[in-house]
């Protein structure tokens, strides 16, 4: 009697294995082989959302597991830079890690903004529930105006 293998193949009985599932499994095997054990921490790239309204620019960055003191925001020569470092908690307490998929390390994201319309003295930031929100107001006389069509 044959035992069913968890390894996806085209020859497993009673399965609906597609080539895409096999491709994903192969990708995981090679990724694990190349990245394990992680003896050095690699940086990560936080996800950003950038919005613009008539009066401001809004940026949100996903930074879960970070402390607000580990985040730095600068605005210089029309470029807003968000940088910092997410550190891995190494409390083992008898645990042996078999897989760590979270990214840790230093990061830096820079966004050029139109410096002539940004009120850089009023840039504000808030960090809550793992999300950094940065608000960059536009200079009032340079902000967009709505023109009514007659």
């Amino acid at each position: 009697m044959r035992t069913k293998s968890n390894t996806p193949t085209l020859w497993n009985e009673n399965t609906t294995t597609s080539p895409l599932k096999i491709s994903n499994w192969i990708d995981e095997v090679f990724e694990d082989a190349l990245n394990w054990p992680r003896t050095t921490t690699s940086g990560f790239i936080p996800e950003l959302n950038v919005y613009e309204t008539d009066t401001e620019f809004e940026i949100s960055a996903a930074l879960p597991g970070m402390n607000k003191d580990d985040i730095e925001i600068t605005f210089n020569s029309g470029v807003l830079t968000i940088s910092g470092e997410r550190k891995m908690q190494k409390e083992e307490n008898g645990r042996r890690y078999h897989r760590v998929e979270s990214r840790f390390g230093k990061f830096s994201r820079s966004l050029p903004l139109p410096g002539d319309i940004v009120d850089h003295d009023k840039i504000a930031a808030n960090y809550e529930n793992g999300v950094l929100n940065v608000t960059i107001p536009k200079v009032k006389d340079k902000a967009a105006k709505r023109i009514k069509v007659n």
Side-chain angles (χ1 to χ4, degrees):
M1 177 176 196
R2 288 178 60 173
T3 59
K4 186 174 179 182
S5 169
N6 288 332
T7 306
T9 69
L10 292 175
W11 302 279
N12 282 353
E13 296 174 9
N14 301 321
T15 62
T16 57
T17 304
S18 71
L20 182 58
K21 288 181 183 177
I22 294 170
S23 175
N24 290 344
W25 177 78
I26 291 170
D27 289 345
E28 286 180 19
V29 168
F30 281 104
E31 183 179 315
D32 288 346
L34 296 173
N35 290 329
W36 192 262
R38 288 188 180 165
T39 55
T40 62
T41 57
S42 60
F44 71 103
I45 300 171
E47 298 168 350
L48 297 180
N49 295 316
V50 181
Y51 309 95
E52 180 181 4
T53 68
D54 290 342
T55 59
E56 64 189 9
F57 293 97
E58 300 171 15
I59 300 169
S60 66
L63 301 171
M66 290 190 66
N67 187 332
K68 69 179 183 177
D69 297 330
D70 296 329
I71 302 167
E72 183 176 331
I73 304 168
T74 59
F75 184 78
N76 188 16
S77 301
V79 177
L80 182 87
T81 301
I82 301 170
S83 58
E85 182 174 6
R86 184 162 58 183
K87 299 172 186 164
M88 180 176 178
Q89 304 295 328
K90 294 196 177 189
E91 296 178 24
E92 303 244 349
N93 297 333
R95 294 183 199 160
R96 291 185 310 264
Y97 290 98
H98 291 277
R99 187 176 192 106
V100 177
E101 293 185 353
S102 300
R103 300 282 184 197
F104 300 94
K106 294 182 180 184
F107 69 89
S108 181
R109 296 291 308 264
S110 295
L111 297 165
L113 295 170
D116 61 331
I117 67 168
V118 170
D119 192 349
H120 63 274
D121 291 328
K122 294 184 181 174
I123 295 174
N126 181 39
Y127 182 69
E128 188 175 344
N129 296 327
V131 177
L132 174 69
N133 290 301
V134 181
T135 304
I136 306 121
K138 294 179 180 178
V139 177
K140 288 189 181 188
D141 62 335
K142 303 259 183 163
K145 297 178 190 174
R146 296 244 182 230
I147 301 170
K148 185 177 178 182
V149 177
N150 293 322

